[in-house]
Amino acid sequence: MDINKDCHAFHLAFRVPDEESSRLDVFFEAHERFMRETHFTEGETEPRVLVYNITKCPELKNPLNPDEGTTGYTLFGLHEVYRGPEGCAAHMAAGQAREALFAEFVDLVQTYMVSGLLAAPVIRTM
């Protein structure tokens, strides 16, 4: 299925001190296992994830001139796209059922998240 304007997405951005970034590495390793165990990539059963990716890079002092160096922080991005709000709801229910993973997620959000779009409608795509 193509991503279209019926789809909804999660996009979260985290800013983490470099010396603490391994905490997110460990979490996202567990999160990927959770996604693979509980989500579908084909068929009609929810949660059916259309896109799942985690990104990571050093925060640059000047994104237009990388030669200026880094800030001492690492940026992480979590991006998931579902067929609609039902998929987002099924994803959240599956996540909350894994109490330890969800508790760690909530703590990471409260500690490091700098931006978050939760179950946001897709408004443009190609």
Side-chain angles (χ1 to χ4, degrees), residues 1-7 50-51 79 81 122-126:
M1 166 180 241
D2 290 321
I3 297 172
N4 58 56
K5 291 182 182 178
D6 292 328
C7 296
L50 303 177
V51 173
H79 187 71
V81 179
V122 171
I123 63 167
R124 302 267 184 266
T125 186
M126 58 181 278

Short mmCIF file of all heavy atoms in Angstrom, two decimals, residues 1-7 50-51 79 81 122-126:
data_model
loop_
_atom_site.label_atom_id
_atom_site.label_comp_id
_atom_site.label_asym_id
_atom_site.label_seq_id
_atom_site.Cartn_x
_atom_site.Cartn_y
_atom_site.Cartn_z
N MET A 1 0.84 -1.19 0.00
CA MET A 1 0.00 0.00 0.00
C MET A 1 0.87 1.24 0.00
O MET A 1 1.84 1.33 0.75
CB MET A 1 -0.91 0.00 1.22
CG MET A 1 -1.57 1.34 1.47
SD MET A 1 -2.63 1.33 2.90
CE MET A 1 -4.14 1.72 2.10
N ASP A 2 0.51 2.18 -0.83
CA ASP A 2 1.23 3.44 -0.86
C ASP A 2 0.85 4.32 0.32
O ASP A 2 -0.27 4.27 0.83
CB ASP A 2 0.89 4.19 -2.16
CG ASP A 2 1.48 3.52 -3.39
OD1 ASP A 2 2.60 3.04 -3.29
OD2 ASP A 2 0.79 3.48 -4.41
N ILE A 3 1.78 5.15 0.72
CA ILE A 3 1.47 6.15 1.74
C ILE A 3 0.63 7.23 1.09
O ILE A 3 0.96 7.71 0.01
CB ILE A 3 2.77 6.71 2.34
CG1 ILE A 3 3.53 5.58 3.02
CG2 ILE A 3 2.47 7.84 3.31
CD1 ILE A 3 4.91 5.97 3.49
N ASN A 4 -0.47 7.58 1.73
CA ASN A 4 -1.40 8.56 1.17
C ASN A 4 -1.96 9.43 2.29
O ASN A 4 -1.56 9.31 3.45
CB ASN A 4 -2.51 7.85 0.39
CG ASN A 4 -3.26 6.87 1.26
OD1 ASN A 4 -3.80 7.24 2.29
ND2 ASN A 4 -3.30 5.61 0.86
N LYS A 5 -2.90 10.28 1.96
CA LYS A 5 -3.44 11.23 2.94
C LYS A 5 -4.39 10.59 3.94
O LYS A 5 -4.85 11.28 4.85
CB LYS A 5 -4.11 12.39 2.21
CG LYS A 5 -3.10 13.27 1.49
CD LYS A 5 -3.75 14.45 0.82
CE LYS A 5 -2.73 15.27 0.07
NZ LYS A 5 -3.35 16.40 -0.63
N ASP A 6 -4.67 9.30 3.82
CA ASP A 6 -5.41 8.58 4.86
C ASP A 6 -4.48 8.10 5.97
O ASP A 6 -4.94 7.70 7.03
CB ASP A 6 -6.14 7.38 4.27
CG ASP A 6 -7.27 7.78 3.32
OD1 ASP A 6 -7.88 8.84 3.55
OD2 ASP A 6 -7.52 7.03 2.36
N CYS A 7 -3.18 8.10 5.72
CA CYS A 7 -2.20 7.58 6.66
C CYS A 7 -1.95 8.56 7.81
O CYS A 7 -2.21 9.76 7.69
CB CYS A 7 -0.89 7.28 5.94
SG CYS A 7 -1.02 6.00 4.69
N LEU A 50 3.71 0.86 7.74
CA LEU A 50 4.13 1.09 6.36
C LEU A 50 5.58 1.57 6.30
O LEU A 50 6.29 1.28 5.35
CB LEU A 50 3.22 2.12 5.69
CG LEU A 50 1.73 1.78 5.68
CD1 LEU A 50 0.94 2.92 5.06
CD2 LEU A 50 1.46 0.47 4.96
N VAL A 51 5.98 2.32 7.31
CA VAL A 51 7.36 2.82 7.42
C VAL A 51 7.76 2.74 8.88
O VAL A 51 6.99 3.12 9.76
CB VAL A 51 7.48 4.29 6.94
CG1 VAL A 51 8.86 4.85 7.22
CG2 VAL A 51 7.12 4.43 5.48
N HIS A 79 10.50 7.40 13.32
CA HIS A 79 9.47 7.70 12.34
C HIS A 79 8.71 6.42 12.01
O HIS A 79 9.32 5.42 11.64
CB HIS A 79 10.08 8.30 11.07
CG HIS A 79 9.08 8.79 10.09
ND1 HIS A 79 8.32 9.92 10.31
CD2 HIS A 79 8.68 8.29 8.91
CE1 HIS A 79 7.51 10.11 9.29
NE2 HIS A 79 7.71 9.12 8.42
N VAL A 81 4.88 5.13 10.09
CA VAL A 81 3.69 5.50 9.34
C VAL A 81 2.74 4.30 9.33
O VAL A 81 3.15 3.17 9.08
CB VAL A 81 4.01 5.92 7.88
CG1 VAL A 81 2.74 6.27 7.12
CG2 VAL A 81 4.99 7.08 7.87
N VAL A 122 -0.96 12.43 7.56
CA VAL A 122 -0.06 12.74 6.45
C VAL A 122 -0.76 13.79 5.58
O VAL A 122 -1.92 13.59 5.20
CB VAL A 122 0.26 11.47 5.63
CG1 VAL A 122 1.00 11.81 4.36
CG2 VAL A 122 1.05 10.49 6.48
N ILE A 123 -0.10 14.90 5.32
CA ILE A 123 -0.74 15.95 4.52
C ILE A 123 -0.11 16.11 3.14
O ILE A 123 -0.70 16.75 2.26
CB ILE A 123 -0.76 17.30 5.26
CG1 ILE A 123 0.65 17.83 5.52
CG2 ILE A 123 -1.56 17.19 6.56
CD1 ILE A 123 0.70 19.28 5.98
N ARG A 124 1.07 15.55 2.93
CA ARG A 124 1.74 15.58 1.63
C ARG A 124 2.53 14.30 1.47
O ARG A 124 3.12 13.80 2.43
CB ARG A 124 2.71 16.75 1.48
CG ARG A 124 2.10 18.10 1.67
CD ARG A 124 1.64 18.72 0.36
NE ARG A 124 1.15 20.05 0.58
CZ ARG A 124 -0.12 20.36 0.78
NH1 ARG A 124 -1.03 19.42 0.81
NH2 ARG A 124 -0.49 21.61 0.96
N THR A 125 2.59 13.78 0.27
CA THR A 125 3.39 12.59 0.00
C THR A 125 3.65 12.48 -1.51
O THR A 125 2.97 13.12 -2.30
CB THR A 125 2.68 11.31 0.51
OG1 THR A 125 3.54 10.20 0.36
CG2 THR A 125 1.36 11.06 -0.18
N MET A 126 4.65 11.69 -1.85
CA MET A 126 4.89 11.42 -3.27
C MET A 126 5.56 10.07 -3.42
O MET A 126 6.03 9.49 -2.50
CB MET A 126 5.74 12.51 -3.92
CG MET A 126 7.09 12.73 -3.29
SD MET A 126 8.04 14.04 -4.08
CE MET A 126 8.73 13.17 -5.47
#
